[in-house]
């Protein structure tokens, strides 16, 4: 009867053009649609698969202000049993991990899943920080996850290969593509999501370790140099003499 | 401000990303007029360790305990944090590799340190402030982050700092860290590491194919081109979703982010999610039959044409170039 916690973040839709305001210090959210972080969607989908027919449960947790509730409801519609929202702006990974660890210390879980990274902050830090704060093992970028009794088997990506590990629960794992196919909420899920419990709790105090000062957008590239399709030798020459990359 | 850098080995060997990270850490040590210590954990030969002095290591701590032969995230984090304390390091550099991304946050928490993941440039230090530039929004932007804690952990993206040789001796010392039993819960069952192929995150050149290639049977020419260039192969998301190529090759916003010197995109349209993961490549070449494909807008060089004609010709031209 595995109890699973899935950490979910609310991020700008992947098609968003990223711009900033206030002298490049604030992300411009105007007109931006927010979604459940794609990696978290995979984590949640796997969590539901792992509990189906076992009596296990899936809870989702988000650190965010009230505006994230549509994303939390989406997670409930996909199949989480209940949700927790820590009512605070997610300042940085350390802040978020501290909030989630604070909750888990009083409400233990067998398996805690995060996405490999959030597509806005891309820290890939929450899993490791949570593991350390709770003093349990963490694995960061996993492609496969199964649970048998009290032991998890995970496949982790390494440069040019993979590693398979077995680890006794409880653990924290950050999921990448391959762990599951994203589940799409059905009508029943959407209806029941409205009435599933969503507990709002207040944040714990955390000392700041970092602060975002400003943002930059990448320098635009120059005009493309087009080469005729039958003149590939010219391209090779340009890559060698002009770009100096071969 | 002594600096500590963790030199990750792959099967007992150091890769270029390690030399980049040591060169980078050396530059931070020089900014602060201080020393650089490298820590290596695992089964690495003395010769391999001795070579690290070349990139600016004043000292190399070698941890070669039997239990730490293979990577164990929790235990390695404990060793690195202990070494940081022993050396009174206030900056700890880790490569932003798959393993490094698991270590950095744990080391950060142990040292009560702010962690800058995905860092792409040297820190700026002025007026007592320590700021670093990191990727954000999946490569669509950068964030300038101030680390306000006394100790700082930086995870450096491979291919974002060049290797610099500055010979500094690099005396090797054995380091024995006390690691608690509960740090060894994770058991390694299997490890597979392809040694004959260039791995995607480390690659200086990447050849990538999209749905325009029609099917997995057409990847022969992509692989041949990659082999000729000493490049890694990659693909767009629909290609890995369809099972034409493994997930580990998928680049983009929800795949791997790469920043090679040269990225060659064949039959890829250049959707915003794909571009997010590849736009920090230094030079981009696009081969696409549609002159309106959005990828051309961010390309440095382009060929408008049918990949099935262009790629074999490009292979032929490269062979000729190599022969001359
Ligand atoms: C949440 C989300 C996340 C996503 N994340 C990613 C991601 O991380 N990475 C990613 O890649 N995508 C991602 N996508 C998908 C993305 O939106 C695009 O659908 C995808 O990148 C398109 O792949 P493609 O360019 O290979 O295929 P297509 O868009 O089908 O383009 C094929 C291209 O090939 C060209 N072509 C066709 N035949 C030939 C030929 N014979 N010779 C030369 N050119 C030819 C066509 O002109 C066309 O430009 C994501 C989508 C979503 C919704
Ligand atoms: N505000 C948040 N609330 C809950 N979980 C989060 C939050 N931000 C990030 N996470 C989780 O941590 C993972 C990694 O995020 P990051 O470290 O920001 O890249 C995400 O995929 C989520 O699972």
């Amino acid at each position: 009867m595995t109890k699973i916690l899935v950490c979910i973040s609310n991020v700008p839709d992947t098609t968003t053009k990223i711009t900033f305001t206030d002298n490049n210090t604030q992300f411009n959210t105007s007109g931006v649609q927010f979604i459940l972080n794609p990696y978290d969607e995979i984590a949640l989908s796997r969590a539901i698969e792992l509990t189906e027919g076992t009596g296990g449960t899936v809870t989702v947790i988000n650190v965010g202000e009230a505006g994230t509730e549509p994303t939390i409801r989406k997670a409930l519609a996909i199949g989480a049993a209940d949700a927790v929202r820590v009512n605070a702006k997610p300042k940085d990974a350390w802040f978020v991990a501290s909030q989630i660890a604070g909750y888990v210390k009083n409400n233990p879980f067998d398996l805690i899943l995060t996405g490999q990274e959030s597509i806005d902050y891309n820290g890939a830090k929450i899993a490791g920080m949570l593991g350390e704060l709770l003093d349990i093992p963490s694995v960061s970028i996993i492609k496969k996850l199964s649970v048998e009794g009290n032991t998890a088997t995970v496949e982790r990506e390494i440069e040019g290969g993979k590693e398979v590990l077995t680890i006794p629960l409880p653990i924290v794992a950050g999921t990448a593509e391959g762990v599951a196919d994203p589940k799409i909420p059905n009508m029943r899920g959407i209806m029941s999501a409205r009435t599933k419990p969503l507990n709002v709790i207040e944040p714990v105090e955390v000392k700041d370790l970092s602060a975002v000062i400003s943002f930059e957008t990448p320098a635009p590239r120059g005009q493309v140099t087009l080469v005729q399709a039958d003149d590939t030798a010219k391209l090779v020459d340009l890559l060698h003499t002009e770009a100096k990359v071969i | 401000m002594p600096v500590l850098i963790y030199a990750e080995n792959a099967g007992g060997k150091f890769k270029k990303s390690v030399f980049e990270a040591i060169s980078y850490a050396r530059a931070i040590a020089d900014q602060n007029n201080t020393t650089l210590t490298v820590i290596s954990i695992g089964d690495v030969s003395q010769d391999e360790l001795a070579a690290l002095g070349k990139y600016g290591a004043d000292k190399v701590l070698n941890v070669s305990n039997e239990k730490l032969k293979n990577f164990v995230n929790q235990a390695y984090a404990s060793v690195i944090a202990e070494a940081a304390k022993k050396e009174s390091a206030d900056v700890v550099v880790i490569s932003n590799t798959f393993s490094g991304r698991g270590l950095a946050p744990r080391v950060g928490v142990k040292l009560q340190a702010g962690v800058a993941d995905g860092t792409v440039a040297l820190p700026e230090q002025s007026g007592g402030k320590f700021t670093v530039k990191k990727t954000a929004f999946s490569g669509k932007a950068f964030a300038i982050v101030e680390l306000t804690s006394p100790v700082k952990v930086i995870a450096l993206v491979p291919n974002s700092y060049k290797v610099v040789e500055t010979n500094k001796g690099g005396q090797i010392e054995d380091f024995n860290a006390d690691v608690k039993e509960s740090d060894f819960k994770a058991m390694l069952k299997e490890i597979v590491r392809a040694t004959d192929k260039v791995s995607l995150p480390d690659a200086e050149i990447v050849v990538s194919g999209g749905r325009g290639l029609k099917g997995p049977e057409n990847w022969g020419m992509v692989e041949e081109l990659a082999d000729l260039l000493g490049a890694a192969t990659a693909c767009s998301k629909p290609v890995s979703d369809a099972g034409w190529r493994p997930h580990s090759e998928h680049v983009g916003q929800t795949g791997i982010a790469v920043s090679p010197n040269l990225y060659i995109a064949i039959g890829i349209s250049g959707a915003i999610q794909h571009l997010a993961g590849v736009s920090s490549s230094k030079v981009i070449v696009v081969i696409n039959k549609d002159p309106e494909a959005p990828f051309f807008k961010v390309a440095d060089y382009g060929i408008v044409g049918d990949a099935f004609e262009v790629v074999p010709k490009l292979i032929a031209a490269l062979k000729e170039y190599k022969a001359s």
Side-chain angles (χ1 to χ4, degrees), chain B:
Chain B
M1 270 213 171
V3 178
L4 179 76
I5 144 110
Y6 165 59
E8 172 183 338
N9 73 77
K13 296 270 178 262
F14 295 121
K15 291 200 195 163
K16 189 171 146 261
S17 60
V18 169
F19 308 139
E20 291 166 3
I22 300 177
S23 306
Y24 174 87
R26 177 74 248 168
I28 300 178
D30 288 345
Q31 280 181 341
N32 297 291
N33 257 318
T34 184
T35 53
L36 174 67
T37 302
V38 176
I39 180 166
S40 162
I41 312 174
D43 202 5
V44 184
S45 73
Q46 292 290 312
D47 284 353
E48 193 77 8
L49 291 170
L52 298 181
K54 214 165 59 191
Y55 307 101
D58 293 300
K59 183 162 73 180
V60 177
L61 299 179
N62 181 32
V63 185
S64 64
N65 164 341
E66 188 59 29
K67 283 176 79 180
L68 292 164
K69 234 173 121 175
N70 286 310
F71 180 78
V72 191
N73 182 40
Q74 226 175 333
Y76 274 39
S78 295
V79 174
I80 296 167
E82 221 181 288
K85 285 181 193 153
K86 175 183 169 270
E87 297 291 309
S88 317
D90 19 31
V91 179
V92 178
V93 179
I94 293 173
S95 299
N96 205 72
T97 56
F98 290 115
S99 298
R101 293 171 87 184
L103 284 172
R106 290 200 85 116
V107 173
V109 171
K110 282 179 193 287
L111 299 173
Q112 289 291 297
V115 182
D117 51 87
T119 302
V120 293
L122 276 179
E124 301 257 340
Q125 301 183 60
S126 64
K129 285 198 171 174
F130 188 104
T131 57
V132 292
K133 181 171 170 174
K134 68 161 291 250
T135 55
F137 295 98
S138 307
K140 293 179 188 172
F142 297 101
I144 309 297
V145 178
E146 181 184 357
L147 299 180
T148 51
S149 49
V151 181
K152 289 119 176 122
V153 173
I154 299 178
L156 178 72
V157 173
N159 258 324
S160 56
Y161 195 82
K162 59 179 189 313
V163 175
V164 184
E165 296 199 5
T166 24
N167 215 324
K168 291 273 178 188
Q171 189 86 19
I172 304 169
E173 280 176 25
D174 283 328
F175 179 65
N176 273 318
D178 238 340
V179 184
K180 60 182 197 298
E181 206 44 49
S182 62
D183 274 0
F184 291 97
K185 284 188 191 135
M187 299 292 292
L188 182 64
K189 284 286 150 205
E190 189 193 346
I191 180 161
V192 180
R193 187 179 272 129
T195 43
D196 55 332
K197 275 190 75 180
V198 186
S199 93
L200 184 54
D202 306 315
E204 289 180 34
I205 303 181
V206 173
V207 180
S208 190
R211 203 147 53 178
L213 289 176
K214 309 283 187 288
E217 66 282 4
N218 296 326
W219 246 261
M221 61 182 188
V222 175
E223 282 178 341
E224 190 180 354
L225 182 58
D227 274 349
L228 268 174
L229 291 165
T233 49
C235 67
S236 65
K237 178 172 158 67
V239 165
S240 62
D241 283 350
W244 297 358
R245 302 295 293 176
H247 279 305
S248 55
E249 285 197 359
H250 157 202
V251 293
Q253 188 158 16
T254 52
I256 293 176
V258 292
S259 47
N261 295 338
L262 174 60
Y263 184 81
I264 303 180
I266 306 166
I268 305 176
S269 57
I272 186 166
Q273 297 99 341
H274 185 86
L275 297 182
V278 306
S279 59
S280 59
S281 306
K282 283 161 202 95
V283 174
I284 295 178
V285 172
V286 170
I287 299 169
N288 195 305
K289 71 174 183 193
D290 174 9
E292 302 298 323
F295 222 142
F296 283 117
K297 293 208 175 66
V298 298
D300 299 285
Y301 301 99
I303 293 183
V304 178
D306 186 338
F308 296 100
E309 287 163 24
V310 175
V311 175
K313 277 189 196 145
L314 181 56
I315 289 171
L318 263 171
K319 281 185 178 160
E320 211 162 290
Y321 155 77
K322 285 195 131 184
S324 68

Side-chain angles (χ1 to χ4, degrees), chain A residues 10-20 27-36 38 119-120 217-218, chain B residues 136-141 253 271-276:
Chain A
N10 182 53
V11 297
D13 178 83
T14 57
T15 56
T16 310
K17 278 230 156 59
I18 304 294
T19 59
F20 303 98
F27 170 52
N28 183 4
T29 55
S30 108
V32 172
Q33 169 136 18
F34 282 82
I35 58 165
L36 172 59
I119 62 167
D120 53 353
T217 37
Chain B
F137 295 98
S138 307
K140 293 179 188 172
Q253 188 158 16
I272 186 166
Q273 297 99 341
H274 185 86
L275 297 182

Side-chain angles (χ1 to χ4, degrees), chain A residues 136-149:
Chain A
I136 58 175
S138 57
V139 257
S140 275
I141 299 178
I142 64 166
K143 306 237 140 195
K144 283 188 187 146
L145 165 68
S146 58
V147 175
E148 202 147 315

